[in-house]
């Protein structure tokens, strides 16, 4: 199916985290507790369009800790009509610590169709569009994102006027140090 945006953001599994909760959605495992988000063993094959952040699994998460593992996005068209960040797995992440592992993006089209220029958003990538410092951070020196054993294959990734990449398009730390660790990932036939 096609998942249109609701209040600006759209995603195959979780559009935006809004506080602590735990639930099962179509047999998919999603846990949000103490401002930590964990999404495991999810699959999306639907098309997603939004006027802002867009993701195959999550559109936007602002959380102390994020874990996404064993998630798959296959054959989806993911695009925005204005100027949001897009990712095959997650569009926009603001977190002290994010770990994304064992995820697959295959046969997906990611496209920023907007002609808006000068906007801070609009990064597009096969796994994560944009990683940013966690607003509620109590640490002053280090945020970290780890992307491990993920693949982006047979996909199209494009944008107008912003960063584009196979794995991670942009990282903005607002003066803090950010460690970016990408290990054993594959981008091919894109």
């Amino acid at each position: 199916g096609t998942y249109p945006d609701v209040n600006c953001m759209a995603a195959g599994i979780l559009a935006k985290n809004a506080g602590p909760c735990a639930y099962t959605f179509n047999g998919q495992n999603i846990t949000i507790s103490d401002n930590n988000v964990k999404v495991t063993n999810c699959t999306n094959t639907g098309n997603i369009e939004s006027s802002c952040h867009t993701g195959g699994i999550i559109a936007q998460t602002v959380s102390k800790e994020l874990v996404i593992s064993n998630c798959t996005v296959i054959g989806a068209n993911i695009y925005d009509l204005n100027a949001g960040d897009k990712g095959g797995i997650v569009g926009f992440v603001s977190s002290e610590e994010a770990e994304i592992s064992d995820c697959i993006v295959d046969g997906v089209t990611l496209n920023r169709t907007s002609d808006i220029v000068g906007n801070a958003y609009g990064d597009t990538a096969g796994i994560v569009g944009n990683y940013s410092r966690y607003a509620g951070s109590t640490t002053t020196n280090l945020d970290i994102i780890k992307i491990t054993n993920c693949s982006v294959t047979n996909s199209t990734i494009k944008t107008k006027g912003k960063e584009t990449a196979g794995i991670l398009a942009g990282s903005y730390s607002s003066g803090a140090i950010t460690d970016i660790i990408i290990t054993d990932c594959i981008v091919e036939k894109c």
Side-chain angles (χ1 to χ4, degrees), residues 47-67:
N47 296 324
I48 303 165
E49 65 181 66
S50 171
S51 59
C52 194
H53 302 309
T54 315
I57 301 297
I58 298 175
Q60 174 182 327
T61 180
V62 178
S63 57
K64 184 169 179 152
E65 181 181 338
L66 169 68
V67 175

Side-chain angles (χ1 to χ4, degrees), residues 65-69 95 97-101 144-148:
E65 181 181 338
L66 169 68
V67 175
I68 301 173
S69 62
S95 180
E97 185 171 345
E99 186 170 334
I100 300 165
S101 62
I144 187 166
I145 181 167
K146 297 178 187 176
I147 303 172
T148 307

Side-chain angles (χ1 to χ4, degrees), residues 63-119:
S63 57
K64 184 169 179 152
E65 181 181 338
L66 169 68
V67 175
I68 301 173
S69 62
N70 298 307
C71 291
T72 305
V73 179
I74 299 173
N77 293 308
I78 300 170
Y79 59 97
D80 72 84
L81 307 173
N82 287 317
D85 295 317
K86 278 145 307 309
I89 299 298
V90 61
F92 177 84
V93 176
S94 177
S95 180
E96 279 184 15
E97 185 171 345
E99 186 170 334
I100 300 165
S101 62
D102 303 308
C103 292
I104 297 168
V105 174
D106 184 55
V108 171
T109 298
L110 291 135
N111 190 4
R112 176 183 183 220
T113 59
S114 170
D115 286 324
I116 294 173
V117 295
N119 190 300

Side-chain angles (χ1 to χ4, degrees), residues 108-143:
V108 171
T109 298
L110 291 135
N111 190 4
R112 176 183 183 220
T113 59
S114 170
D115 286 324
I116 294 173
V117 295
N119 190 300
Y121 302 111
D123 295 342
T124 305
I127 301 296
V128 177
N130 181 352
Y131 175 77
S132 181
R133 178 160 179 77
Y134 175 50
S137 182
T138 56
T139 179
T140 58
N141 61 350
L142 184 67
D143 288 344

